[in-house]
């Protein structure tokens, strides 16, 4: 049965290394590894979580192990460069080289410096004040010809040749990329580049071909199709349009909005419409604006809007009405709808209590009295007329004959509905998975495979197929890793598994769960302890405070004194500080007997406890003012 309608066509040095996990909420996973390696090492840090690499320290020197405790790099190096790179630069006896992630030395320890780059598989290697570029296999792809530091971005090499005033570019194979000299070079949109010298810039294409002279001010430049540039005005963010020869096109401020790499929207006095990469231009009429929200675009379609006077009886604020435009064909629908949604290959628009369904060619397919709502990412939606809501498919047929008070699409899949004030669950084909007999239904775990349901104030767990996992009988339930649940009943909290077996006795007065669910702070009376998702005791219930901080750190207080632990660090187990302030990712400010000091994230004392105060300098990152005897110095950990 179809709905009623009418159809119409219309460097860090490792001794001061911040040892934090790439994904700090997972840092607790290293606890079993600490037990595995025992006391073989002085410290243990999650160095590269994605690749399961861990930094260790022994006799003051550093090495690398994997998640099974296998030693990949022996602890005999003075420093490790920042993690997450294809190659891992290391220092020994003031010389640098690099290992790969399997622990093989691919660049020998003989160079003055080795730098890595977050967005590149290359490293810069320096020897005798000259630099070269090596790839992830340790192969030099350029000679030692750069003076000092070399930067790499978008696989383009930028450095200053020895004996020359200006830097040059090379591509990822070492071929010279741009023939002209520049003070600095940087990527622009769509793989274009700009080079600047003496305050003026030129534009280069992705192949290094120079497109303009050095005539544009050293400000924001946006390359546009058809040999045009939008250049930021000196006094603000407004932009003016120029051709590649430097001639200004028009007198008005330009609105520039990239839609795709092939199409851009521009708005200037005599030029308003869509520019194509082939230089073509599709003019558009005045009277509306383009939405800058990416969610208001689909393919070549983009939402447009204008403001109109408010309706009588409404507040004085003007209201917005919507339409759409096709940047490929230039077809457009004037804005007069109260809402427009791009859904699959159709456009859904609402006006005056009526829903209109258009094709992408602007042909009116259906007109419904009432309101059609389509769920993003789901092959269905709802049709509401008066107080009745029914489920429809993507062809606008009824999926069920039932009527509902409310239907909501859940982020984890499925459709929540209410009838007679009770919640139930449908699949996207309209089949009833859970009958409407629950006071609440919500996900019990992030992936939504298990749901917490509430009946008569008590909570239980069901799966998305409607099968009972835990009978309703708890005041609190939250799914945690390992298929377990943190639960509360009669004011006491603990952990059980899917078989309703007790993993951690329900004897705690409260439980605080970290966002990833892997560790929990528990309380008995006025004392705190810590457990993991398996119910294992990590810290006994004997602390006055336990605070879960960023980067996997736990701040503890016992007998009024502070200490900190991390899944990443062994040691630091003495309670000797009166005050403790995390300064991630640089370390900690600590105080004792009125004196301040600074520790790094490995617990190493960078500043001893002999200063009157240490304060962060805002907004500068990693800069502190250190006060002693009325004198202030700058400290950068």
């Amino acid at each position: 049965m179809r709905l009623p309608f009418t159809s119409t066509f219309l460097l860090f040095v490792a001794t001061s290394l911040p040892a934090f996990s790439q994904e700090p909420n997972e840092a607790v996973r290293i606890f079993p590894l600490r037990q595995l390696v025992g006391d073989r090492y002085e410290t243990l840090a999650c160095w590269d979580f994605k690749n399961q690499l861990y930094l260790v320290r022994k006799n003051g020197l550093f090495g690398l192990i994997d998640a099974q405790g296998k030693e990949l790099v022996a602890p005999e190096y003075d420093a490790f460069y920042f993690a997450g790179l294809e190659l891992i630069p290391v220092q020994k006896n003031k010389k640098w080289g690099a290992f790969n992630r399997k622990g093989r030395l691919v660049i020998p320890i003989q160079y003055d410096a080795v730098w890595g780059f977050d967005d590149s598989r290359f490293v810069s290697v320096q020897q005798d004040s000259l630099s070269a570029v090596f790839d992830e296999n340790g192969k030099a792809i350029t000679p030692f010809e750069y003076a000092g530091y070399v930067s790499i971005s978008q696989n383009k090499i930028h450095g200053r040749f020895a004996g020359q005033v200006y830097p040059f570019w090379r591509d990822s194979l070492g071929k010279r990329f741009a023939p002209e000299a520049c003070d600095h070079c940087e990527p622009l949109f769509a793989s274009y580049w700009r080079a600047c010298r003496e305050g003026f810039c030129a534009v280069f294409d992705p192949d290094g071909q120079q497109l303009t002279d050095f005539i544009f001010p050293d400000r924001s430049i946006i390359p546009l199709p058809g040999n045009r540039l939008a250049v930021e005005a000196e006094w603000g963010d407004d932009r003016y349009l120029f051709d590649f020869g430097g001639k200004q096109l028009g007198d008005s401020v330009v609105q520039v909005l990239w839609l795709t790499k092939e199409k851009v929207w521009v708005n200037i006095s005599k030029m308003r419409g869509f520019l194509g990469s082939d230089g073509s231009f599709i003019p558009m009429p005045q009277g509306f604006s383009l939405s800058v929200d990416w969610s208001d675009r689909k393919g070549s379609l983009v939402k447009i809007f204008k403001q109109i006077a408010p309706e009588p009886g409404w507040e004085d604020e003007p209201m917005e009405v919507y339409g759409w435009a096709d940047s490929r064909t230039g077809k457009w629908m004037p804005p007069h709808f109260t809402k427009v949604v791009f859904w699959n290959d159709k456009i859904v628009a609402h006006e005056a209590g009526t829903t209109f369904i258009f094709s992408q060619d602007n042909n009116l397919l259906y007109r419904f009295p009432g309101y059609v709502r389509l769920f993003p990412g789901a092959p269905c939606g709802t049709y509401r007329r008066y107080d009745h809501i029914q489920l429809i498919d993507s062809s606008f047929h009824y999926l069920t004959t039932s009527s509902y008070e409310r239907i909501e699409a859940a982020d984890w899949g499925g459709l929540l509905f209410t009838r007679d004030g009770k919640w139930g669950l449908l699949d996207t084909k309209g089949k009833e998975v859970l009958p409407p007999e629950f006071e609440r239904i919500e996900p019990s775990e992030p992936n939504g495979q298990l749901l917490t349901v509430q009946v008569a104030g008590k909570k239980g767990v069901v799966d998305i197929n409607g099968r009972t996992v835990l009978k309703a009988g708890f005041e609190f339930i939250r799914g945690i890793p390992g298929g377990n649940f943190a639960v509360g009943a009669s004011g006491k909290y603990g952990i059980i598994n899917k078989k309703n077996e007790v993993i951690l006795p329900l004897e705690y007065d409260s439980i605080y769960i970290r966002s990833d669910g892997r560790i929990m702070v528990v309380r008995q009376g006025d004392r705190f302890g810590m457990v993991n998702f398996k119910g294992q005791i990590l810290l006994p219930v004997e602390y006055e405070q336990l605070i879960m901080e960023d980067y996997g750190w736990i701040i503890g207080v016992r007998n009024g004194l502070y200490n900190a632990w991390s899944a990443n660090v062994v040691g630091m187990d003495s309670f000797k500080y009166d005050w403790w302030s995390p300064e991630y990712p640089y370390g900690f400010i600590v105080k004792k007997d009125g004196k301040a000091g600074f520790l790094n994230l490995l617990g190493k004392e960078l500043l001893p406890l002999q200063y009157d105060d240490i304060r962060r300098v805002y907004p500068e990152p990693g800069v502190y003012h250190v006060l002693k005897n009325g004198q202030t110095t700058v400290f950068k950990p």
Side-chain angles (χ1 to χ4, degrees):
M1 178 179 179
R2 186 183 293 275
L3 278 67
F5 69 91
T6 57
S7 179
T8 310
F9 289 99
L10 302 172
L11 174 64
F12 291 135
V13 174
T15 52
S16 61
L17 179 70
F20 54 86
S21 165
Q22 295 289 78
E23 297 183 33
N25 283 341
E26 294 286 336
V28 76
R29 291 180 60 177
I30 202 172
F31 273 115
L33 181 58
R34 289 174 60 177
Q35 298 170 3
L36 181 65
V37 300
D39 58 359
R40 286 160 46 192
Y41 305 106
E42 300 161 3
T43 60
L44 173 66
C46 188
W47 180 234
D48 183 347
F49 184 83
K50 179 180 178 182
N51 297 289
Q52 295 287 281
L53 300 178
Y54 300 90
L55 188 69
V56 293
R57 181 172 63 179
K58 186 175 182 179
N59 299 325
L61 299 176
F62 291 81
L64 208 63
I65 65 174
D66 63 16
Q68 287 72 46
K70 178 183 177 182
E71 196 169 86
L72 302 177
V73 179
E76 55 187 45
Y77 296 92
D78 302 317
F80 271 63
Y81 196 76
F82 190 73
L85 309 173
E86 293 289 336
L87 294 184
I88 305 170
V90 297
Q91 184 193 49
K92 185 176 182 179
N93 299 328
K94 298 184 179 181
K95 291 295 183 181
W96 286 83
F99 286 87
N100 64 17
R101 292 173 181 166
K102 295 182 179 180
R104 184 171 66 89
L105 185 67
V106 294
I107 298 179
I109 314 292
Q110 64 185 43
Y111 299 102
D112 297 333
V114 177
W115 295 292
F117 303 92
D118 291 342
D119 64 344
S120 175
R121 58 190 178 91
F122 304 105
V123 293
S124 172
V125 178
Q126 185 174 357
Q127 180 76 356
D128 299 329
S129 300
L130 294 178
S131 296
V133 176
F134 286 60
D135 65 15
E136 74 275 22
N137 297 314
K139 178 184 177 182
I141 64 171
T142 74
F144 284 89
E145 60 184 356
Y146 294 96
Y149 182 76
V150 176
S151 65
I152 302 173
S153 180
Q154 293 186 0
N155 286 335
K156 296 295 191 298
I157 303 164
H158 172 219
R160 192 180 304 276
F161 285 138
Q164 298 195 17
V165 179
Y166 299 112
F168 287 78
W169 299 335
R170 288 186 182 274
D171 64 18
S172 59
L173 297 179
K175 177 183 177 182
R176 183 171 292 194
F177 176 65
E180 288 294 333
C182 57
D183 294 324
H184 63 272
C185 315
E186 64 182 16
L188 301 174
F189 189 82
S191 299
Y192 283 76
W193 285 66
R194 75 167 182 170
C196 302
R197 64 184 182 191
E198 299 177 357
F200 290 91
C201 301
V203 177
F204 293 77
D205 69 14
D207 296 322
Q209 182 68 35
Q210 184 173 342
L211 302 178
T212 75
D213 292 330
F214 286 83
I215 55 177
F216 296 100
D218 188 359
R219 293 188 289 272
S220 174
I221 298 176
I222 302 178
L224 301 178
N227 296 338
R228 300 176 177 90
L229 297 170
V231 181
E232 183 179 303
E234 183 176 2
W235 51 87
D237 292 333
D238 295 334
R239 295 182 174 91
Y240 289 84
L241 202 64
F242 293 83
D243 63 21
F244 278 6
K247 178 182 178 182
Q248 184 172 331
L249 304 175
D251 300 323
S252 300
V253 175
V254 178
Q255 179 194 20
V256 178
L257 181 65
W258 273 95
L259 305 176
T260 67
K261 287 189 175 182
E262 289 75 36
K263 196 72 69 170
V264 65
W265 165 266
V266 295
N267 183 10
I268 196 170
S269 57
K270 296 181 181 180
M271 191 174 189
R272 172 187 170 87
F274 300 104
L275 276 173
S277 58
D278 56 358
S280 61
F281 178 70
I282 301 176
M284 298 298 290
Q286 300 286 341
F288 65 82
S289 300
L290 257 67
S291 172
V292 298
D293 193 334
W294 281 99
S295 64
D296 290 337
R297 308 176 194 176
K298 185 176 179 65
S300 61
L301 296 176
V302 59
K303 190 184 295 186
I304 62 177
F305 69 94
K306 70 177 181 180
Q307 292 186 334
I308 62 174
E311 296 180 358
W314 290 77
E315 297 181 1
D316 294 336
E317 293 292 329
M319 60 181 296
E320 291 182 351
V321 290
Y322 301 92
W324 60 90
D326 190 327
S327 63
R328 177 177 54 86
T329 63
K331 292 184 178 181
W332 67 295
M333 178 64 69
H336 62 274
F337 298 103
T338 54
K339 187 174 183 179
V340 169
V341 177
F342 302 133
W343 192 70
N344 294 338
D345 60 345
K346 297 179 178 63
I347 304 164
V348 182
H350 301 282
E351 181 186 20
T354 302
T355 299
F356 303 87
I357 311 296
F358 292 87
S359 70
Q360 293 191 8
D361 293 328
N362 291 358
N363 291 321
L364 179 63
L365 304 177
Y366 313 120
R367 178 190 287 117
F368 301 121
Y371 188 86
V372 171
R373 179 186 179 192
L374 301 169
F375 300 126
C380 57
T382 58
Y383 172 58
R384 184 184 71 197
R385 191 176 186 189
Y386 307 118
D387 293 331
H388 301 287
I389 299 177
Q390 291 179 277
L391 195 65
I392 59 174
D393 64 15
S394 58
S395 298
F396 307 98
H397 292 91
Y398 291 122
L399 283 172
T400 69
T401 58
S402 301
S403 180
Y404 306 93
E405 298 165 355
R406 183 177 177 182
I407 299 180
E408 297 290 340
D411 294 338
W412 35 267
L415 304 169
L416 297 173
F417 72 94
T418 61
R419 188 183 296 132
D420 299 327
K422 298 291 186 180
W423 286 95
L425 180 68
L426 301 170
D427 65 17
T428 55
K429 295 182 179 179
K431 179 183 177 181
E432 191 173 279
V433 178
L434 290 175
E437 57 186 31
F438 301 101
E439 297 159 6
R440 293 183 65 182
I441 299 177
E442 57 190 12
S444 181
E445 55 186 15
N447 61 17
Q449 298 300 303
L450 296 177
L451 308 173
T452 297
V453 295
Q454 180 174 308
V455 180
K458 299 295 184 180
K459 296 182 178 180
V461 176
V462 300
D463 64 21
I464 58 173
N465 297 313
R467 291 187 290 265
T468 299
V469 177
L470 293 178
K471 291 183 178 180
F474 302 95
E475 287 112 34
F476 168 82
I477 292 180
R478 176 175 164 184
I480 57 178
N484 297 332
F485 301 89
V487 297
S490 302
K492 296 295 182 179
Y493 297 85
I495 300 175
I496 63 175
N497 62 19
K498 292 180 180 179
K499 297 179 180 180
N500 212 12
E501 297 170 338
V502 175
I503 304 299
L504 183 72
L506 276 72
E507 59 185 27
Y508 298 95
D509 299 320
S510 62
I511 188 167
Y512 306 93
I513 306 173
R514 197 171 65 177
S515 59
D516 64 350
R518 305 191 72 86
I519 61 174
M520 288 147 271
V521 170
V522 294
R523 178 179 63 85
Q524 284 181 323
D526 61 354
R527 289 293 183 263
F528 296 85
M530 181 167 290
V531 301
N532 64 15
F533 66 95
K534 298 178 181 179
Q536 298 167 333
I537 304 295
L538 302 179
L539 295 173
V541 182
E542 60 183 33
Y543 300 93
E544 295 149 29
Q545 289 187 55
L546 281 178
I547 305 168
M548 291 183 285
E549 290 280 354
D550 294 334
Y551 297 102
W553 281 90
I554 300 122
I555 307 299
V557 180
R558 188 169 64 190
N559 299 325
L561 298 177
Y562 285 76
N563 186 30
W565 301 267
S566 172
N568 301 342
V569 179
V570 175
M572 298 180 67
D573 55 358
S574 61
F575 285 81
K576 62 180 182 180
Y577 300 104
D578 303 325
W579 186 81
W580 191 293
S581 174
E583 296 290 329
Y584 303 122
Y586 307 104
F588 306 95
I589 298 174
V590 293
K591 292 184 179 180
K592 183 175 175 60
D593 299 330
K595 293 298 183 180
F598 200 99
L599 309 178
N600 70 10
L601 289 180
L602 282 174
K604 179 181 175 60
E605 191 176 75
L606 301 184
L607 293 179
L609 287 163
Q610 61 183 33
Y611 297 92
D612 300 323
D613 202 1
I614 300 174
R615 302 172 185 172
R616 178 182 291 188
V617 179
Y618 292 96
E620 297 293 329
V623 180
Y624 296 84
H625 279 167
V626 178
L627 284 69
K628 185 177 181 180
N629 300 327
Q631 301 295 317
T632 300
T633 57
V634 175
F635 168 61
K636 296 181 180 181

